[in-house]
Amino acid sequence: MYHHYQIDQTYDWNYENAPPEPNSSRPDASGEATARRWTFMGRRVASPVGVAAGPLLNGRWIRYYAALGFDVLTYKTVRSSARACYEPPNLTFVDCGQLDGSHTSVPHAKSPSDSWAVSFGMPSKEPDVWRRDVEDTRRQLPNDKVLSVSVVGTMQPGWSIDELADDYALCARWAVESGADCIETNFSCPNVTSCDGQLYQSPDDAKTVAERVRASIGDANYLIKIGHFAGIANRGTSAEQFLRAIAPFADGIVTTNSIAAKVVTDTGNNLFDGQPRGICGDAIRDESMRQTRELKRIVVSANLPLCIVGVGGISSAAHVRAYLDAGADLVQLATAAMLDPGIGMKIRRQLARR
């Protein structure tokens, strides 16, 4: 019996009611050899399958999913000060086909589906809490598991981009000091309207933050989470400008994990006060994979030293292989892993049979 995130409960409830400590008798897929040896930013990993920022609220969630066959695990986004979660609902099922960024709204689903709207607002516990937890988590994780910590700056009234960059850098340094193997700076959150949620759209500002973060974390592995780019297939677009700007400082990018749209009920009412929310899961797979392919094209053509983590709508080994064929070096799941925590082991077994 797997422990699921309870969508009818609050973020704080799920934080406090994390899964029990992994049972040593639980199969964790660690003995399942795949057809090849995988490396990720110079580290040996047992598979190219991880969990994206979002589902893993604290160390107990991290250790639970690590025991279920996931190898690169991302600690949910943290800040330099506490931030409350948005009011529920934080996760709402939606009923739509594949999105490409042109849809302004999607219909609400009354029954569970493979796609949902996400509305958390990047909450965070106090730094003393998450720093201790990251330290404990790294100490208890097996050595072959990679612990990535997602961090975000917290924009304050009157701040310049330099002050925001310093805040990102502070969080990143704290995470490394606490034992993080990798830092992921969150430059994209469709549910946050301040610039810290849209940095990937501003190459100059992104460069400022990335440079400051690199200076603060030394040689630690460094990823940047990005959002959906429009017109990415055209040369000279903001995607190419962004990648060129951050390439001297980052080791890789984490690709599109949501596409923003409003959520409308069958009676025509707008949920979330009519504000767009990030749509995640199956509905964004085609577009996320297309973006991965285009981003890889830019990386190769511009000879940029960036790896690519593919995210968006992955729920099978076939999807993993398709992302890898599109140019991803690693993939991460979120929605599918929340709906079925055992999916990591299923994918590992399927990959091993190839």
Side-chain angles (χ1 to χ4, degrees), residues 141-199:
L141 274 180
N143 290 334
D144 60 349
K145 303 292 184 179
V146 177
L147 175 61
S148 180
V149 176
S150 173
V151 304
V152 69
T154 305
M155 194 69 179
Q156 302 294 335
W159 269 16
S160 67
I161 187 61
D162 288 306
E163 289 162 309
L164 179 62
D166 285 340
D167 198 46
Y168 265 99
L170 177 63
C171 286
R173 177 170 59 81
W174 281 345
V176 169
E177 290 173 349
S178 298
D181 301 309
C182 176
I183 296 299
E184 177 183 309
T185 51
N186 191 342
F187 282 9
S188 168
C189 181
N191 310 320
V192 175
T193 57
S194 54
C195 73
D196 50 300
Q198 307 298 322
L199 271 175

Side-chain angles (χ1 to χ4, degrees), residues 37-109:
R37 295 290 183 178
W38 301 94
T39 60
F40 179 61
M41 296 191 296
R43 294 176 61 100
R44 290 280 295 274
V45 290
S47 82
V49 183
V51 181
L56 309 182
L57 310 190
N58 56 31
R60 286 175 61 187
W61 283 100
I62 291 271
R63 295 190 294 276
Y64 184 72
Y65 274 83
L68 293 178
F70 293 95
D71 294 296
V72 179
L73 304 110
T74 309
Y75 197 104
K76 185 172 174 62
T77 308
V78 294
R79 297 175 179 269
S80 62
S81 59
R83 170 71 66 90
C85 185
Y86 286 169
E87 290 296 317
N90 303 123
L91 296 168
T92 300
F93 291 110
V94 297
D95 182 14
C96 60
Q98 290 293 312
L99 303 179
D100 61 7
S102 65
H103 301 76
T104 58
S105 65
V106 298
H108 171 251

